[in-house]
Amino acid sequence: DLIGSQDLYCYYSPYKRAQETLYAILEGGNLHKQTKVQIEDVRLIEQKFGNHQSKEQMEQEKLSRVKYGRYFYQFKYGESGLDVTLRAT
Protein backbone atom coordinates (compact mmCIF):
# COMPACT_ATOMS: atom_id res chain seq x y z
CA ASP A 1 0.00 0.00 0.00
CA LEU A 2 1.99 2.97 -1.31
CA ILE A 3 -0.15 5.81 0.05
CA GLY A 4 -2.11 4.24 2.87
CA SER A 5 -4.63 6.56 4.50
CA GLN A 6 -2.50 9.72 4.23
CA ASP A 7 -4.09 12.95 3.01
CA LEU A 8 -3.35 13.72 -0.64
CA TYR A 9 -2.58 17.11 -2.13
CA CYS A 10 -2.58 16.81 -5.92
CA TYR A 11 -0.94 19.27 -8.30
CA TYR A 12 -1.53 18.91 -12.03
CA SER A 13 -0.87 20.81 -15.24
CA PRO A 14 -3.59 22.72 -17.11
CA TYR A 15 -3.53 20.19 -19.94
CA LYS A 16 -6.72 18.17 -20.24
CA ARG A 17 -4.79 14.90 -20.43
CA ALA A 18 -3.17 15.70 -17.05
CA GLN A 19 -6.58 16.26 -15.50
CA GLU A 20 -7.83 13.00 -17.02
CA THR A 21 -4.76 11.14 -15.71
CA LEU A 22 -5.23 12.54 -12.21
CA TYR A 23 -8.89 11.51 -12.26
CA ALA A 24 -7.97 8.00 -13.44
CA ILE A 25 -5.38 7.63 -10.67
CA LEU A 26 -7.79 8.84 -8.00
CA GLU A 27 -10.59 6.69 -9.38
CA GLY A 28 -8.46 3.58 -9.88
CA GLY A 29 -6.91 3.84 -6.44
CA ASN A 30 -10.19 4.81 -4.75
CA LEU A 31 -8.42 7.92 -3.46
CA HIS A 32 -11.12 10.58 -3.85
CA LYS A 33 -12.08 10.64 -0.15
CA GLN A 34 -8.53 11.23 1.09
CA THR A 35 -7.76 13.86 -1.55
CA LYS A 36 -7.85 17.15 0.32
CA VAL A 37 -6.81 19.52 -2.47
CA GLN A 38 -6.50 19.39 -6.25
CA ILE A 39 -4.53 22.35 -7.58
CA GLU A 40 -4.00 23.22 -11.23
CA ASP A 41 -0.55 24.77 -11.62
CA VAL A 42 0.29 26.44 -14.93
CA ARG A 43 4.03 25.97 -14.27
CA LEU A 44 3.63 22.21 -14.68
CA ILE A 45 3.92 21.96 -18.44
CA GLU A 46 6.30 20.17 -20.79
CA GLN A 47 9.59 21.64 -21.89
CA LYS A 48 9.21 24.02 -24.81
CA PHE A 49 11.29 22.90 -27.77
CA GLY A 50 10.37 25.78 -30.07
CA ASN A 51 7.77 25.86 -32.82
CA HIS A 52 7.73 25.40 -36.56
CA GLN A 53 11.19 23.93 -36.98
CA SER A 54 12.00 21.55 -39.80
CA LYS A 55 12.92 17.95 -39.12
CA GLU A 56 16.50 18.66 -40.21
CA GLN A 57 16.74 21.71 -37.97
CA MET A 58 15.45 19.72 -35.00
CA GLU A 59 18.02 16.96 -35.64
CA GLN A 60 20.77 19.60 -35.63
CA GLU A 61 19.39 21.04 -32.38
CA LYS A 62 19.47 17.59 -30.77
CA LEU A 63 23.09 17.05 -31.85
CA SER A 64 24.05 20.43 -30.41
CA ARG A 65 22.24 19.58 -27.19
CA VAL A 66 24.30 16.40 -26.79
CA LYS A 67 27.55 18.37 -27.22
CA TYR A 68 26.51 21.23 -24.94
CA GLY A 69 24.72 19.20 -22.27
CA ARG A 70 21.09 18.10 -22.21
CA TYR A 71 20.16 20.04 -19.09
CA PHE A 72 21.68 23.38 -20.03
CA TYR A 73 21.11 23.49 -23.79
CA GLN A 74 18.37 25.93 -24.80
CA PHE A 75 16.46 25.18 -27.98
CA LYS A 76 15.97 28.04 -30.44
CA TYR A 77 12.68 29.66 -29.43
CA GLY A 78 12.48 27.10 -26.63
CA GLU A 79 13.87 26.49 -23.18
CA SER A 80 16.51 24.42 -21.44
CA GLY A 81 16.03 21.86 -18.69
CA LEU A 82 17.34 24.51 -16.33
CA ASP A 83 14.65 26.92 -17.54
CA VAL A 84 12.02 24.27 -16.77
CA THR A 85 13.42 23.73 -13.27
CA LEU A 86 13.45 27.46 -12.53
CA ARG A 87 9.89 27.86 -13.84
CA ALA A 88 8.55 25.00 -11.81
CA THR A 89 10.16 25.84 -8.47
Side-chain angles (χ1 to χ4, degrees):
D1 197 14
L2 183 63
I3 298 172
S5 60
Q6 296 179 23
D7 292 342
L8 295 178
Y9 299 85
C10 302
Y11 294 81
Y12 60 93
S13 85
Y15 293 124
K16 182 174 181 165
R17 67 180 179 272
Q19 296 167 12
E20 292 169 347
T21 300
L22 174 59
Y23 179 80
I25 291 169
L26 296 179
E27 189 72 17
N30 196 26
L31 301 171
H32 287 286
K33 290 181 183 175
Q34 68 193 79
T35 303
K36 300 300 177 191
V37 179
Q38 294 181 29
I39 299 172
E40 180 179 299
D41 190 333
V42 298
R43 296 172 295 173
L44 299 176
I45 59 173
E46 290 94 352
Q47 180 178 3
K48 298 173 190 163
F49 289 100
N51 295 322
H52 311 294
Q53 66 273 6
S54 68
K55 183 178 178 182
E56 294 80 20
Q57 184 181 5
M58 193 62 190
E59 290 301 320
Q60 186 58 47
E61 291 263 357
K62 288 180 179 179
L63 289 172
S64 296
R65 179 176 65 167
V66 169
K67 292 177 185 175
Y68 190 79
R70 293 180 57 88
Y71 187 70
F72 297 103
Y73 181 78
Q74 183 173 2
F75 287 90
K76 186 176 184 179
Y77 308 115
E79 61 185 348
S80 68
L82 176 61
D83 294 329
V84 174
T85 300
L86 294 174
R87 171 173 41 83
T89 56

